[in-house]
Amino acid sequence: MDAADIVASVLVVGVIIVSLLSNVVVLICFLYNPEIRKQVPGLFILNLTFCNLLLSVSNMPLTLVGLITTSYPGGSGFCQFVGFLDTFLTTNSMLSMAALSIDRWVAVVFPLSYHSRIRHRDAVVALAYTWIHSLCFSTVATCRSWVGYHHLYASCTLCNVRAKGAGTHFIIFTVALHSLTFLLTLIVLCVTYWKVLKVARFHCKRIDVITMQTLMLLVDIHPSVRQKCLDEQKRRRQRATKKISTFIGTFVVCFTPHVITRIVELFSPGPISPHWGVLSKCLAYSKAASDPFVYSLLRHQYRKTCNLLANKVLKRGPLNSSSLRMENSAARSDNTTNSRLNSA
């Protein structure tokens, strides 16, 4: 092993640890908090978490072994099964992100009719499509023996060396796979979150107008208070942009290098550096470690559940599902009371 392989191995180990811990925490929060289970996005997050966990315990460790031993562990059949999982889980996770973005678009653009437009039955249908879509591509690749150990990525994955006899068929399959997974998901993310950002900015402008009118009426207001209100306006405008940039940015940064390498590999006459291949694969793996923070753990509901679980582990106070339900219902009643007072 040279220095680059050692660095790549350490990176893979770090990704495995973070991915396992963070996705397990998301799964515990989902199982523990009944309010999260009732929400439609929870099903998409559960599916995404399942894919990330399975990827962390199957493909990532074998990539680490491939980096250390420069060969695949087990027989050809075992490597083909792992390659099947690689295609299936990566495709499934991408489509789950697209489904989450559509759900958030409907929730923001159609807030009053959200529950009638997006129901649990609709979420199950969407998840069924993601599974069928992913199974089709991974099954075709496995049945045509297009998966195996690829030295460029030190992984059991789609392998053009095993598909040399297929030629044009393998090229069409690979382009179709990335077009109908990566490119499709990227388009859905950009379109839906752009619409969400437009609505968010529109609401921010309305709030800013009301705030400015109020500040103009309050002649005797202290300058520091006025400045604080203006700073809050600026933070409000930036908050939505940062969130949406995070959703799209992590997807692009993690998956684009690997997809571009895959496409260039099909048409490039010369060899590609294995160090770059492994790095692009590690970046794709890192999406499994970042997803729990991007989609779950930084949200208020998950952070609150994590704090309650931490208190239970540290024995600061009793906690069970019934007490969590009571706290959630109390929070909802408080919000209802506050809204009624504000309307009065």
Side-chain angles (χ1 to χ4, degrees), residues 12-284:
V12 172
V13 171
V15 171
I16 292 173
I17 294 173
V18 175
S19 179
L20 281 175
L21 292 177
S22 57
N23 282 286
V24 166
V25 171
V26 172
L27 184 60
I28 292 173
C29 290
F30 179 87
L31 296 175
Y32 202 88
N33 192 329
E35 293 299 319
I36 295 177
R37 294 198 299 271
K38 290 178 183 178
Q39 298 171 355
V40 173
L43 295 177
F44 299 129
I45 291 176
L46 179 64
N47 188 64
L48 183 61
T49 302
F50 166 77
C51 293
N52 290 338
L53 278 175
L54 198 53
L55 195 69
S56 302
V57 299
S58 59
N59 296 74
M60 293 185 194
L62 293 178
T63 299
L64 179 62
V65 174
L67 282 170
I68 297 173
T69 63
T70 65
S71 62
Y72 66 89
S76 176
F78 176 71
C79 194
Q80 284 195 9
F81 173 71
V82 175
F84 169 87
L85 286 179
D86 181 74
T87 305
F88 172 77
L89 295 174
T90 304
T91 303
N92 201 338
S93 63
M94 286 187 187
L95 295 176
S96 297
M97 296 172 208
L100 274 168
S101 69
I102 294 173
D103 176 83
R104 296 194 177 190
W105 167 64
V106 175
V108 172
V109 178
F110 309 101
L112 298 179
S113 59
Y114 169 75
H115 292 290
S116 62
R117 290 173 180 266
I118 303 291
R119 295 163 293 183
H120 279 81
R121 182 179 63 186
D122 303 318
V124 171
V125 171
L127 289 177
Y129 170 76
T130 64
W131 277 66
I132 294 171
H133 184 120
S134 306
L135 280 171
C136 287
F137 279 104
S138 53
T139 302
V140 169
T142 305
C143 291
R144 296 297 299 270
S145 297
W146 289 344
V147 291
Y149 183 77
H150 203 316
H151 289 276
L152 178 61
Y153 308 104
S155 306
C156 295
T157 182
L158 280 175
C159 186
N160 58 349
V161 176
R162 293 179 61 89
K164 275 186 176 178
T168 306
H169 292 155
F170 180 76
I171 293 176
I172 294 173
F173 174 83
T174 305
V175 172
L177 170 64
H178 294 305
S179 298
L180 295 175
T181 53
F182 171 78
L183 187 60
L184 175 64
T185 303
L186 181 60
I187 292 173
V188 171
L189 290 176
C190 291
V191 171
T192 53
Y193 284 130
W194 177 70
K195 291 182 178 293
V196 168
L197 184 60
K198 282 183 64 178
V199 174
R201 285 181 173 175
F202 173 74
H203 288 302
C204 284
K205 286 181 180 178
R206 291 183 61 185
I207 295 173
D208 291 346
V209 169
I210 296 172
T211 304
M212 291 304 297
Q213 291 175 348
T214 305
L215 290 175
M216 290 176 66
L217 292 174
L218 298 174
V219 181
D220 297 332
I221 191 172
H222 194 274
S224 62
V225 177
R226 185 188 299 269
Q227 186 61 42
K228 187 176 181 181
C229 293
L230 295 175
D231 293 340
E232 180 60 29
Q233 286 182 351
K234 185 178 179 181
R235 283 194 296 269
R236 193 185 300 114
R237 288 192 296 268
Q238 293 175 345
R239 197 175 299 127
T241 305
K242 286 181 179 178
K243 286 183 178 180
I244 291 173
S245 300
T246 302
F247 292 140
I248 300 176
T250 53
F251 181 85
V252 171
V253 170
C254 292
F255 285 124
T256 301
H258 183 65
V259 173
I260 291 178
T261 305
R262 283 287 190 182
I263 300 301
V264 170
E265 184 187 3
L266 296 174
F267 305 101
S268 175
I272 299 175
S273 170
H275 297 319
W276 170 252
V278 171
L279 177 61
S280 68
K281 191 66 176 177
C282 290
L283 283 173

